[in-house]
Amino acid sequence: MSSANLPHSTPPNASQTAAPPVQSTQVLIVGAGPVGLTLANTLGGQGVRTLLIEALPKLIDYPRAIGIDDEALRTMQGIGLADRIVPHTTPMHWMRFLTASGRCWASIEPRTDEFGWPRRNAFIQPQADRILFEGLSRFPQVEARFSTRFVALEQDASAVRATLEGPEGRYIVEADYMVGADGGSSPVRGALGLSFDGETAPNQWIVIDVENDPIGTPNIYLGSDNRRAYVSAALPHGVRRFEFMVLKGEDESHFSRPEVMREMLGRVLDRPEEAKIIRQRIYNHNARLASRFRVGRVLLAGDAAHIMPVWQGQGYNSGIRDAANLGWKLAMVVKGALGEALLDTYQAERRDHAKAMIDLSVLVGKVFNPPWPVLNTLRDGLTRVLNLVPSVKRYLLEMRFKPMPRFRAGAIVPAPGHPETSPVGKLFIQPKVCTIAGEVKRLDDVIGPNFAILAWGANPVQYMKPAQLAMWRALGAVFVCVKPEVQLGAAPDPELGFRTDPMEGVVQLGDVQGRLKDWFGAQPDSVVFLRPDRVVGATSTPLAVSETSQALARALGWPRAEAGSVPRATPATAAGLVAAE
């Protein structure tokens, strides 16, 4: 990772009384947690000059998230790191809620993979963070600096200037845009004067990681014990995570006593004295949401924007959704391919969903660990009855209660008529497909980090006007025709009167699993416009693709869409055009 792209404007031996040296970059990211690292990898892959700073001297290695979901793994796939992270996961990780007597009153057992990956997976976050950090070495235009603290910021219509303090002293970085991914206490959010509304749960929890799993059974168990609720989770590589509710009067010094730890672990282990503890840490459960996610040229992401209790394992994954949503937008705006108004859609698309995940996590926490013991008894009796109802059981087993991202406004073209059943604003599926060369791949690996226009069984650009076609090509879009796998490479007989469509510049893919046929068969439109984050931006009939293109271009913040002009091309979009053709 080179620092050549961040030149000093003041010599290193300048007088102490001189103004702080000024450096420049396109995007400054504060915070080298998973969100900042994912965002830096996304921007690096798009050729954006990026500086990532972290106040700590190294990556955090203490216990944190243990669940990575299918959406997050799809994002890791998009930045080329999923194959390195997956060996450190346990796929299809079930979550079971137990009464004090050990009866399972709810079990979450998702088995679906519509986005290309298992829905719930256990993982060890520091391991994934390390892989994300190492991934930055692929991009010479990305630099990471540790032991570097954010101090203050000022901004105007042309740039944001951040005062930083590192081992070399204070200096200023001038950036086109800045992202605060600096955790729940976020100095960046504080500098913006934004409120962080919500509450902190009255009780704390202690996390204990144990090596060479002394229990060994898979999955995660949440015990609703009236005296001290607990969590027992099997993690990859033989690690067992225990979490116990901290009682009144207990603190770090209390849990530093060996006899206290033995007594507490004795609630879940036969011989607690033999457990080999890797680390332990006390933490709070917070449920908070920033009043805004963007102020001018500064944006918030991850815990700086929202914090939620751990009960659904969505804090980490919600942050990765922020990075997936924001990364491609920042790249497009910084490179001049789309207008700055596109960044306004980040808050419009992410804040409501983050709030929904917070509300769900708070609710699950209250059901699992209610404030009064009598509520435990009521819950146990009610769930015993509800578990006899098949529809209720499926609702839990398949995680149908989880609010899926669904944008009703933003960089989309809402469907008229039946918006509730429309796929617009939702993630597109990711089945396996077959290429003309006979390779079977996940769909995203064929499309790459680009816009894509997919049509079922036909040429998606045949009815598109030249101006719109040029627009999508300049944006690096990939044009795709998907068809039954058995038709791949075949062509109709012209002697029977069929016209052979060469489909120049269109990628033809075979529907290996039949999932694309099912998806298109359930929709009224046969052409789908996908954003780089794989959200469905619009759908269309083949004859209306030009009009839909214009509408989506306006939603993307491209004010010249009406005139049919073409955005400024960049090396990255040119590469996308070559890939598409």
Side-chain angles (χ1 to χ4, degrees):
M1 289 171 285
S2 172
S3 60
N5 60 302
L6 295 166
H8 288 273
S9 61
T10 305
N13 60 354
S15 168
Q16 294 295 318
T17 60
V22 179
Q23 306 172 21
S24 66
T25 189
Q26 289 178 297
V27 177
L28 169 64
I29 303 172
V30 181
V35 177
L37 291 166
T38 301
L39 191 57
N41 274 279
T42 302
L43 295 172
Q46 291 293 322
V48 175
R49 288 186 295 118
T50 304
L51 173 61
L52 173 67
I53 67 164
E54 169 57 53
L56 297 175
K58 62 178 183 178
L59 295 176
I60 294 174
D61 62 357
Y62 57 71
R64 292 185 293 163
I66 59 172
I68 183 170
D69 68 13
D70 48 353
E71 297 172 58
L73 280 177
R74 192 175 189 180
T75 299
M76 300 306 164
Q77 175 192 354
I79 59 176
L81 296 175
D83 288 342
R84 291 191 57 194
I85 291 175
V86 166
H88 304 290
T89 70
T90 302
M92 302 295 186
H93 207 228
W94 296 355
M95 177 181 286
R96 291 178 168 173
F97 294 83
L98 309 178
T99 65
S101 64
R103 180 180 68 86
C104 179
W105 59 267
S107 185
I108 301 171
E109 304 173 11
R111 305 171 188 268
T112 56
D113 63 349
E114 63 264 43
F115 299 137
W117 301 94
R119 177 156 288 187
R120 287 185 63 94
N121 308 270
F123 82 135
I124 300 174
Q125 184 182 331
Q127 180 73 58
D129 288 356
R130 173 61 57 182
I131 292 169
L132 288 170
F133 174 68
E134 292 170 351
L136 299 180
S137 64
R138 299 172 294 173
F139 312 117
Q141 71 276 20
V142 176
E143 181 187 3
R145 298 178 187 173
F146 289 85
S147 300
T148 301
R149 183 173 62 91
F150 165 79
V151 178
L153 70 86
E154 60 179 30
Q155 59 175 316
D156 55 30
S158 62
V160 56
R161 284 164 286 278
T163 300
L164 308 180
E165 187 169 54
E168 69 276 33
R170 286 199 174 190
Y171 56 96
I172 293 173
V173 168
E174 185 174 88
D176 294 336
Y177 293 94
M178 175 174 146
V179 179
D182 49 342
S185 59
S186 184
V188 173
R189 188 186 63 244
L192 295 173
L194 297 177
S195 62
F196 203 36
D197 304 319
E199 60 183 15
T200 298
N203 50 15
Q204 296 178 308
W205 289 71
I206 183 169
V207 170
I208 307 165
D209 282 350
V210 177
E211 66 177 70
N212 197 23
D213 192 342
I215 294 179
T217 55
N219 303 313
I220 178 171
Y221 298 85
L222 292 85
S224 303
D225 192 303
N226 286 340
R227 180 174 177 272
R228 191 194 294 271
Y230 70 92
V231 176
S232 174
L235 301 183
H237 309 312
V239 175
R240 171 67 59 166
R241 162 74 57 88
F242 294 111
E243 300 183 25
F244 295 95
M245 189 173 70
V246 175
L247 304 180
K248 187 176 181 179
E250 297 176 337
D251 56 17
E252 292 279 7
S253 61
H254 174 77
F255 291 110
S256 66
R257 295 154 54 190
E259 66 273 16
V260 170
M261 295 301 292
R262 283 197 302 270
E263 186 276 332
M264 190 163 57
L265 289 173
R267 300 170 64 84
V268 291
L269 297 177
D270 292 333
R271 295 199 293 271
E273 68 279 0
E274 297 183 19
K276 297 182 179 180
I277 297 175
I278 302 172
R279 58 180 72 86
Q280 64 190 61
R281 187 180 182 90
I282 290 179
Y283 66 92
N284 296 307
H285 283 176
N286 293 286
R288 297 187 180 274
L289 185 67
S291 55
R292 295 170 63 184
F293 284 15
R294 180 191 180 194
V295 177
R297 292 179 171 270
V298 183
L299 303 103
L300 300 178
D303 284 356
H306 45 75
I307 302 181
M308 60 196 69
V310 301
W311 304 120
Q312 282 301 299
Q314 287 298 308
Y316 174 95
N317 296 296
S318 291
I320 300 302
R321 290 187 196 103
D322 292 346
N325 188 289
L326 182 58
W328 70 271
K329 295 176 180 178
L330 270 175
M332 285 285 176
V333 172
V334 167
K335 295 189 295 184
L338 291 170
E340 185 180 349
L342 178 63
L343 298 179
D344 288 332
T345 67
Y346 169 60
Q347 174 173 307
E349 294 178 350
R350 284 297 306 134
R351 192 174 185 275
D352 286 349
H353 184 259
K355 185 180 185 305
M357 294 307 308
I358 291 172
D359 293 343
L360 174 64
S361 298
V362 170
L363 175 62
V364 172
K366 289 179 177 178
V367 173
F368 163 61
N369 184 37
W372 301 290
V374 66
L375 295 179
N376 269 324
T377 303
L378 290 174
R379 180 208 58 220
D380 293 350
L382 180 62
T383 56
R384 189 182 294 273
V385 175
L386 290 177
N387 273 331
L388 300 175
V389 182
S391 59
V392 173
K393 198 159 190 174
R394 283 198 307 273
Y395 184 76
L396 293 172
L397 289 175
E398 299 172 12
M399 285 183 69
R400 296 184 183 182
F401 55 84
K402 176 188 173 185
M404 298 301 294
R406 169 71 183 276
F407 309 147
R408 302 180 187 279
I412 61 172
V413 179
H418 303 283
E420 292 303 318
T421 59
S422 169
V424 174
K426 299 178 181 179
L427 277 174
F428 191 63
I429 61 172
Q430 187 189 191
K432 290 183 178 179
V433 294
C434 184
T435 68
I436 289 287
E439 296 178 296
V440 175
K441 298 182 177 182
R442 291 184 177 92
L443 178 62
D444 291 2
D445 290 335
V446 179
I447 296 173
N450 307 293
F451 286 100
I453 302 174
L454 284 78
W456 174 258
N459 187 336
V461 301
Q462 180 172 348
Y463 299 104
M464 189 175 290
K465 294 178 181 178
Q468 279 69 50
L469 181 59
M471 175 191 73
W472 287 118
R473 283 181 169 168
L475 288 174
V478 179
F479 306 103
V480 181
C481 169
V482 292
K483 58 181 68 176
E485 183 183 11
V486 293
Q487 295 180 17
L488 199 61
D493 189 344
E495 293 186 5
L496 297 177
F498 294 104
R499 186 180 69 84
T500 302
D501 185 353
M503 290 198 188
E504 294 181 7
V506 176
V507 177
Q508 298 185 57
L509 298 175
D511 183 19
V512 174
Q513 298 168 297
R515 292 185 177 182
L516 286 164
K517 178 178 178 292
D518 290 344
W519 192 93
F520 280 100
Q523 312 298 332
D525 295 334
S526 62
V527 181
V528 59
F529 293 74
L530 297 184
R531 307 182 335 181
D533 58 0
R534 299 304 174 252
V535 169
V536 177
T539 63
S540 172
T541 63
L543 293 174
V545 291
S546 286
E547 292 79 3
T548 302
S549 292
Q550 280 194 327
L552 184 54
R554 287 193 296 271
L556 290 169
W558 187 36
R560 294 159 293 177
E562 289 288 0
S565 59
V566 179
R568 174 162 56 90
T570 67
T573 58
L577 176 57
V578 171
E581 295 183 340

